[in-house]
Amino acid sequence: MLSEAEWERVRSLFTPPPADPREERARAARAVGMLGEWFDPGSLCDSGGNEPFSAENDIRKERARADLLAEGFDPWPGARCEAPRNEFSPPRVAQLDCIAEACNTTIYLLLLEGDGFLSRHRVRYPASRGFLMWFPHKTAVLEELATGRAWAMDSWYGPSGSPAPVWPLEVWLSGKEDENNRDNAAPTDTAGSGTKNMGQRW
């Protein structure tokens, strides 16, 4: 559960209100990154001593550590739990698949919509592409109210804390999304090569 102070940080991203739909999507993508950093598994791993002491945080971390250990992962200090894409090499020890990412991002967007931050968009049901083992993938979706155009917000591509990449849904469905046709600029400090990952998505 978010504290009032944490939600105020989210609210500040939309103050003053966005000037147009594209800016609103960009701010929503930043909010998704912020919320993902607080709620995704990476926030439950060892923080290197940077997290304020809290009995609740300690309990949550221990539960998360126990869950990871039960799955055969050892979350050693400094490990990155929520890494971008499907990374299978150290120091990554856990990774949300695209289904979980799409569900989480949709929930975050519904929270934003419920508080009136998405005046130019509505949240749609997550979209899918691919079939069985042929590169299946899922994403959260926003629909622009003025035009009816749908936009994919795919947080699977970046680590927790980074703005979720946004593409026109038709581009995403074609599997041709990359940094060159992204709606919101990619931050310079996030992982990724700038091209789409053709590996298994979930």
Side-chain angles (χ1 to χ4, degrees), residues 40-64:
D40 285 349
S43 65
L44 299 177
C45 287
D46 191 285
S47 61
N50 294 324
E51 194 174 75
F53 173 78
S54 163
E56 181 181 356
N57 283 341
D58 286 350
I59 292 171
R60 291 171 68 233
K61 281 192 198 177
E62 287 306 314
R63 286 177 178 167

Side-chain angles (χ1 to χ4, degrees), residues 95-113:
Q95 164 65 30
L96 292 179
D97 60 29
C98 65
I99 297 173
E101 289 281 3
C103 291
N104 286 351
T105 297
T106 299
I107 291 171
Y108 303 152
L109 291 174
L110 287 170
L111 289 173
L112 299 178
E113 184 179 58

Side-chain angles (χ1 to χ4, degrees), residues 70-108:
E71 294 295 325
F73 297 114
D74 183 11
W76 62 89
R80 286 186 305 139
C81 279
E82 171 55 350
R85 307 184 182 186
N86 285 347
E87 291 187 359
F88 293 102
S89 57
R92 170 266 196 205
V93 296
Q95 164 65 30
L96 292 179
D97 60 29
C98 65
I99 297 173
E101 289 281 3
C103 291
N104 286 351
T105 297
T106 299
I107 291 171
Y108 303 152

Side-chain angles (χ1 to χ4, degrees), residues 149-190:
R149 191 177 192 186
W151 298 85
M153 187 169 291
D154 194 349
S155 59
W156 179 82
Y157 274 96
S160 289
S162 66
V166 179
W167 288 281
L169 184 60
E170 67 271 18
V171 172
W172 185 93
L173 288 172
S174 72
K176 297 179 180 179
E177 74 277 10
D178 59 34
E179 294 298 343
N180 295 320
N181 53 28
R182 181 173 167 175
D183 184 56
N184 58 330
T188 58
D189 59 346
T190 57

